[in-house]
């Protein structure tokens, strides 16, 4: 069964550094998403992406965040200058019409 | 406003019993609802979904019920097994379809005891 894959599984970064989280969505999906989950809390929407542009973004997704689909298979989330409060699990998801399918996430730890 | 919440943070059941996990939503414009299972260290795994033009949908050992009058969603798991132990999230898609953002509830932990 096709699945969403994310790398790395765990990323440790110094505060203020840039980080790029990578995702390979399911191959025939056209809609892509990033969510985050702070430890012990619910999953929160960050951004959705379709047809090479952002469809919707949340208040969390400020100017420090960006997304890109650099080729036909990868979907990336970049945080330009990380803050302590960016520490969380970051989940990529993709969908055709529905439902959204999630990867197993990248745990981002900011020191 | 937009919010999806859960009544019970933890549900403990005996193996073989049926489990019912509840969820309340507040966005009356929502027309698509979905249940996910999240095991430790993994991402949300799709279980079952339902559109607002239905009030019941069945899958393998799972049933989702939707009561639009009181804005309530439930997930029923038949013959609960130890492998069902996980956190269960309901989510709504306020604008309809699967390509819009999902608004997740807080989650319910299901603990299955032998």
């Amino acid at each position: 069964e096709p699945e969403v894959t994310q790398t790395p599984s765990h990323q440790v970064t110094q505060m203020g550094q840039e980080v790029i989280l990578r995702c390979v969505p399911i191959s025939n999906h056209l809609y892509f998403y990033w969510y985050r989950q702070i430890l012990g809390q619910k999953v929160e929407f960050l951004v959705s992406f379709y047809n090479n542009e952002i469809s919707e973004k949340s208040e969390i997704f400020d100017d420090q965040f960006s997304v890109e689909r650099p080729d036909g298979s990868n979907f990336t989330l970049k945080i330009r200058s990380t803050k302590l409060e960016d520490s969380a699990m970051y989940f990529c998801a993709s969908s055709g019409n529905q439902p959204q399918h999630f990867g197993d996430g990248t745990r981002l730890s900011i020191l | 406003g937009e919010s999806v919440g859960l009544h019970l943070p933890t549900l403990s059941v005996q193996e073989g019993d049926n489990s019912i996990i509840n969820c309340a939503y507040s966005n009356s414009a929502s027309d698509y609802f979905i249940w996910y299972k999240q095991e430790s260290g993994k991402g949300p795994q799709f279980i079952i979904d339902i559109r607002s033009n239905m009030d019941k949908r069945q899958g393998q050992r799972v049933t989702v019920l939707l009561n639009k009058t009181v804005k309530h969603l439930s997930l029923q798991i038949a013959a609960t097994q130890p492998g069902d132990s996980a956190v269960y999230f309901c989510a709504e898609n306020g604008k309809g379809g699967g390509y819009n953002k999902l608004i997740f509830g807080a989650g319910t932990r299901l603990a299955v005891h032998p």
Side-chain angles (χ1 to χ4, degrees):
Chain A
E1 184 176 326
E3 57 183 24
V4 176
T5 57
Q6 292 185 242
T7 55
S9 57
H10 191 189
Q11 175 77 48
V12 182
T13 302
Q14 292 287 332
M15 185 172 59
Q17 296 297 304
E18 176 183 287
V19 66
I20 298 176
L21 309 183
R22 302 181 190 279
C23 170
V24 179
I26 294 173
S27 62
N28 62 344
H29 285 177
L30 300 177
Y31 303 92
F32 314 110
Y33 317 82
W34 284 100
Y35 292 80
R36 81 172 186 189
Q37 185 178 32
I38 294 172
L39 184 64
Q41 299 186 22
K42 62 184 179 182
V43 177
E44 300 176 286
F45 170 79
L46 292 178
V47 65
S48 59
F49 190 88
Y50 171 71
N51 199 26
N52 282 319
E53 60 183 25
I54 290 173
S55 306
E56 187 174 3
K57 58 183 181 180
S58 71
E59 293 177 353
I60 303 168
F61 194 89
D62 62 21
D63 291 345
Q64 295 301 311
F65 289 85
S66 62
V67 290
E68 190 178 26
R69 187 154 164 83
D71 52 42
S73 60
N74 291 284
F75 180 52
T76 62
L77 174 69
K78 181 193 290 187
I79 308 175
R80 268 180 273 280
S81 178
T82 50
K83 304 184 287 287
L84 292 175
E85 54 264 38
D86 294 328
S87 295
M89 284 291 292
Y90 287 81
F91 293 107
C92 173
S94 69
S95 70
N97 186 14
Q98 66 226 3
Q100 294 179 27
H101 294 269
F102 285 74
D104 282 339
T106 293
R107 178 171 298 284
L108 179 62
S109 300
I110 307 299
L111 304 180
Chain B
E2 297 178 326
S3 68
V4 177
L6 293 173
H7 296 305
L8 300 173
T10 304
L11 177 65
S12 294
V13 300
Q14 290 295 123
E15 181 179 357
D17 287 351
N18 297 332
S19 302
I20 300 176
I21 301 172
N22 296 301
C23 176
Y25 66 94
S26 61
N27 188 346
S28 57
S30 295
D31 65 359
Y32 175 74
F33 305 88
I34 188 166
W35 282 99
Y36 285 97
K37 172 187 181 183
Q38 187 177 30
E39 296 174 290
S40 181
K42 299 212 162 194
Q45 177 188 355
F46 169 73
I47 301 173
I48 193 167
D49 57 2
I50 188 168
R51 288 199 168 277
S52 60
N53 61 353
M54 302 172 68
D55 53 21
K56 180 179 181 178
R57 193 170 185 210
Q58 288 185 291
Q60 187 177 15
R61 279 202 309 119
V62 294
T63 302
V64 56
L65 298 176
L66 175 63
N67 185 331
K68 295 181 289 294
T69 302
V70 295
K71 290 188 246 176
H72 185 266
L73 191 69
S74 68
L75 176 70
Q76 300 180 357
I77 304 173
T80 314
Q81 302 169 0
D84 295 326
S85 294
V87 177
Y88 289 80
F89 292 95
C90 65
E92 65 176 306
N93 184 323
K95 298 179 184 178
Y99 45 85
N100 294 302
K101 69 180 183 184
L102 291 175
I103 303 163
F104 279 78
T108 292
R109 182 174 299 280
L110 177 65
V112 183
H113 302 288

